[in-house]
Amino acid sequence: MDPNTGRSRGFGFILFKDAASVEKVLDQKEHRLDGRVIDPKKAMAMKKDPVKKIFVGGLNPEATEEKIREYFGEFGEIEAIELPMDPKSNKRRGFVFITFKEEEPVKKVLEKKFHTISGSKCEIKVAQPKEVYQQQQYGSGGRGNRNRGNRGSGGGGGSGGQGSTNYGKSQRRGGHQNNYKPY
């Protein structure tokens, strides 16, 4: 669907239970749907970069880098820890980013949504590029941008994305939005 118009973009994806079914569809010369000739093709999976970076939200700003490294080092070798500072107060913010050397530790960490680190219950998510995060918070398209007046306030209709385990996917507009901003 086109997020701006709400109309079909003219294509779709079908997931078959059996790979042989895909071959049967492709072997057939002509397919018609609603009176129109359609052209089925085999979908090609897009190459994804390995996920090595996580966002840790709700962390006590007093937690030391050593404590953070000690806790997350149990999951795998850490390449970098980013401790963002609030530019106004010049104090640490209540979240960090951790980059692992491999993808496997990220999978292990994400098996639990919440972890207790230095006495704080922290939410763990896949880190996203700043642009993706800002699009989720302030929107770009999506259901006609009906909430333009309340950008980032979390108001408006729609169903909330709270409690969702769809890491890396866009949060539904108008739902609960976290107070901390990862970037």
Side-chain angles (χ1 to χ4, degrees):
M1 300 294 267
D2 183 307
N4 296 319
T5 65
R7 298 179 71 189
S8 171
R9 291 177 55 197
F11 65 91
F13 294 91
I14 299 171
L15 181 63
F16 289 95
K17 196 176 218 175
D18 183 3
S21 300
V22 174
E23 297 308 319
K24 282 183 188 175
V25 168
L26 296 175
D27 288 343
Q28 190 174 325
K29 284 187 179 160
E30 187 177 285
H31 292 273
R32 288 187 173 271
L33 182 65
D34 292 337
R36 291 183 170 177
V37 175
I38 60 169
D39 183 22
K41 297 178 178 91
K42 198 172 197 173
M44 302 305 285
M46 293 177 69
K47 176 92 172 84
K48 289 185 181 178
D49 291 330
V51 176
K52 297 180 184 178
K53 189 173 185 178
I54 60 171
F55 165 79
V56 181
L59 182 67
N60 180 346
E62 304 295 313
T64 64
E65 182 175 347
E66 292 74 33
K67 285 279 183 199
I68 296 165
R69 189 173 292 279
E70 181 183 313
Y71 181 84
F72 286 101
E74 295 290 319
F75 294 94
E77 194 175 349
I78 295 170
E79 189 173 292
I81 296 178
E82 296 171 50
L83 307 163
M85 301 292 278
D86 183 319
K88 291 176 186 160
S89 67
N90 209 26
K91 291 184 180 173
R92 278 240 331 264
R93 299 188 63 186
F95 61 88
V96 297
F97 293 98
I98 299 170
T99 306
F100 289 94
K101 291 202 179 215
E102 303 291 328
E103 187 175 20
E104 203 52 44
V106 172
K107 290 178 184 175
K108 283 194 263 179
V109 170
L110 290 174
E111 286 175 4
K112 279 182 16 188
K113 184 174 183 174
F114 293 99
H115 293 253
T116 302
I117 303 142
S118 292
S120 299
K121 183 180 180 184
C122 301
E123 183 177 11
I124 313 296
K125 297 180 182 180
V126 170
Q128 298 176 332
K130 191 174 188 176
E131 302 77 43
V132 173
Y133 174 77
Q134 286 173 336
Q135 277 182 342
Q136 288 177 2
Q137 292 302 300
Y138 306 116
S140 68
R143 290 202 251 154
N145 255 348
R146 67 171 189 221
N147 282 342
R148 259 189 191 277
N150 322 338
R151 290 185 176 206
S153 68
S159 58
Q162 66 217 68
S164 172
T165 55
N166 293 329
Y167 300 116
K169 294 187 181 168
S170 296
Q171 185 179 42
R172 289 201 172 124
R173 296 200 35 92
H176 170 75
Q177 294 180 351
N178 298 325
N179 291 332
Y180 47 81
K181 294 185 172 25
Y183 275 103

